[in-house]
């Protein structure tokens, strides 16, 4: 089977009611991004940061996967599909995608302030000041903040290096290292970008579909499935 890698940003979840921040002047759900998503935000104000991510986690209990998330699942019957997402929500998993790499962490997990590899599944529960790891150290949201290392970038690069198709959805392609991932795609990889707004990035060798995710993803999935020939099925 051929390999498809899908790289998603906040835009794919916008129509599920979860705000992007680049669309709203550096505000994310009315918070200044630097106050809640920098490497030193938690040290400066753990209460504010915890409260912000608790609210994002609660919001997930009412947000539903949209047609953009759902259409991607159709590809899994005929292709090896890996979703590489910058999003911290769980809407890809809830839509039914099986292989999801989260570059920037996951809202439904917490980790120790002392060791980011000490991870706890917390589901949709709040993190409170009383929650501690096995050594009594505070728990923090399992999020990769700006300025922190991105450990999942290596597995994402490995997948993209083997991609026959790359579908990029709802990302302004300005947050690195995620924005650089497309440069690892092989020369013959067919690349699509779905976004209602044209990004600043160089779009040569990319098929740009200027649509919202709920419309554009179906269009691209239909096209890829229609292009499949007997060889694809046999491989
Ligand atoms: P981004 O850089 O990925 O930019 C958002 C992009 O989505 C823009 O290009 C915009 O034109 C596009 N977009 C808007 N509506 C769309 C739609 N309906 N369909 C398709 N595309 C659409 O994302 P960002 O908002 O700048 O966030 C950067 C980082 O902040 C993320 O990588 C993530 O770590 C965090 N974040 C996560 C979430 C989430 O988990 N859902 C939401 C906001 C921010």
């Amino acid at each position: 089977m051929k390999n498809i890698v899908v790289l998603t940003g906040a835009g794919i979840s916008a129509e599920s009611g979860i705000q992007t921040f680049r669309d709203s002047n550096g505000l994310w759900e009315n918070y200044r991004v630097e106050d809640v998503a920098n490497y030193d935000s938690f040290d400066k104000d753990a209460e504010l940061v915890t409260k912000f991510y608790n609210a994002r986690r609660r919001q997930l209990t009412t947000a539903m996967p949209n047609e953009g998330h759902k259409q991607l699942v159709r590809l899994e019957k005929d292709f090896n599909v890996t979703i590489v997402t910058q999003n911290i929500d769980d809407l890809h998993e809830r839509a039914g995608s099986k292989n999801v790499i989260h570059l920037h962490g996951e809202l439904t997990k917490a980790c120790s302030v002392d060791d980011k590899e000490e991870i706890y599944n917390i589901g949709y529960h709040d993190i409170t000041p009383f929650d501690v790891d096995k050594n009594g150290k505070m728990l923090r949201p399992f999020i990769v903040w700006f300025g922190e290392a991105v450990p999942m970038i290596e597995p994402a690069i490995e997948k993209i290096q083997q991609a026959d198709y790359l579908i990029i959805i709802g990302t302004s392609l300005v947050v690195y290292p995620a924005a650089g991932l497309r440069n690892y795609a092989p020369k013959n990889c067919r690349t699509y970008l779905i976004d209602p707004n044209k990004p600043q990035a160089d779009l040569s060798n990319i098929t740009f579909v200027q649509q919202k995710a709920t419309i554009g993803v179906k269009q691209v999935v239909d096209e890829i499935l229609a292009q499949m020939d007997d060889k694809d099925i046999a491989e």
Side-chain angles (χ1 to χ4, degrees):
M1 279 208 268
K2 288 194 170 174
N3 300 319
I4 298 186
V5 176
V6 184
L7 175 62
T8 63
I12 195 168
S13 296
E15 290 165 271
S16 293
I18 300 177
Q19 261 181 36
T20 67
F21 63 70
R22 228 153 283 282
D23 286 333
S24 48
N25 299 324
L27 290 180
W28 182 7
E29 306 280 354
N30 298 323
Y31 285 75
R32 291 194 325 162
V33 172
E34 56 272 32
D35 289 341
V36 293
N38 259 8
Y39 73 98
D40 61 352
S41 305
F42 190 79
D43 289 341
K44 282 185 183 158
D45 194 341
E47 196 185 330
L48 177 89
V49 173
T50 305
K51 193 174 135 208
F52 172 76
Y53 288 98
N54 283 344
R56 305 283 68 72
R57 199 176 301 105
R58 285 185 199 170
Q59 185 186 35
L60 276 188
T61 60
T62 51
M64 300 292 283
N66 65 50
E67 208 49 32
H69 302 100
K70 289 179 193 166
Q71 286 291 326
L72 294 171
V73 183
R74 285 172 61 209
L75 294 167
E76 296 200 3
K77 188 168 155 279
D78 299 297
F79 294 90
N80 294 315
V81 180
T82 306
I83 312 277
V84 177
T85 187
Q86 298 168 80
N87 295 344
I88 55 176
D89 65 52
D90 61 353
L91 297 180
H92 282 300
E93 286 90 342
R94 279 165 50 199
S97 287
K98 290 200 187 69
N99 306 312
V100 186
I101 295 177
H102 283 271
L103 292 175
H104 295 163
E106 292 171 71
L107 277 172
T108 55
K109 293 178 179 168
C111 63
S112 165
V113 288
D114 256 14
D115 179 4
K116 278 201 78 180
E117 289 179 21
E118 179 80 25
I119 298 164
Y120 300 86
N121 286 315
I122 56 168
Y124 301 108
H125 294 287
D126 282 358
I127 298 177
T128 76
F130 308 106
D131 294 326
V132 289
D133 72 4
K134 62 180 191 309
N135 300 313
K137 294 286 182 184
M138 255 174 100
L139 291 189
R140 57 165 265 185
F142 179 62
I143 303 293
V144 175
W145 287 315
F146 289 106
E148 292 191 312
V150 184
M152 294 311 285
I153 201 77
E154 284 302 326
I157 290 172
E158 277 170 32
K159 290 292 179 188
I160 289 182
Q161 282 171 332
Q162 293 162 31
D164 298 293
Y165 293 89
L166 175 61
I167 309 173
I168 305 170
I169 309 166
T171 170
S172 50
L173 294 172
V174 294
V175 177
Y176 279 82
L181 277 174
R182 67 195 176 106
N183 300 328
Y184 291 91
K187 274 207 167 53
N188 59 352
C189 175
R190 182 89 202 260
T191 303
Y192 296 89
L193 171 66
I194 304 162
D195 198 303
N197 303 303
K198 197 167 189 203
Q200 304 288 327
D202 170 24
L203 296 184
S204 46
N205 299 323
I206 291 185
T207 305
F208 177 45
V209 178
Q210 190 157 16
Q211 289 284 6
K212 289 182 171 185
T214 47
I215 309 244
V217 178
K218 179 173 187 313
Q219 216 171 290
V220 169
V221 168
D222 283 347
E223 185 177 315
I224 292 175
L225 291 177
Q227 277 169 9
M228 266 180 52
D229 50 29
D230 294 343
K231 200 165 127 271
D232 290 340
I233 297 165
E235 272 174 12

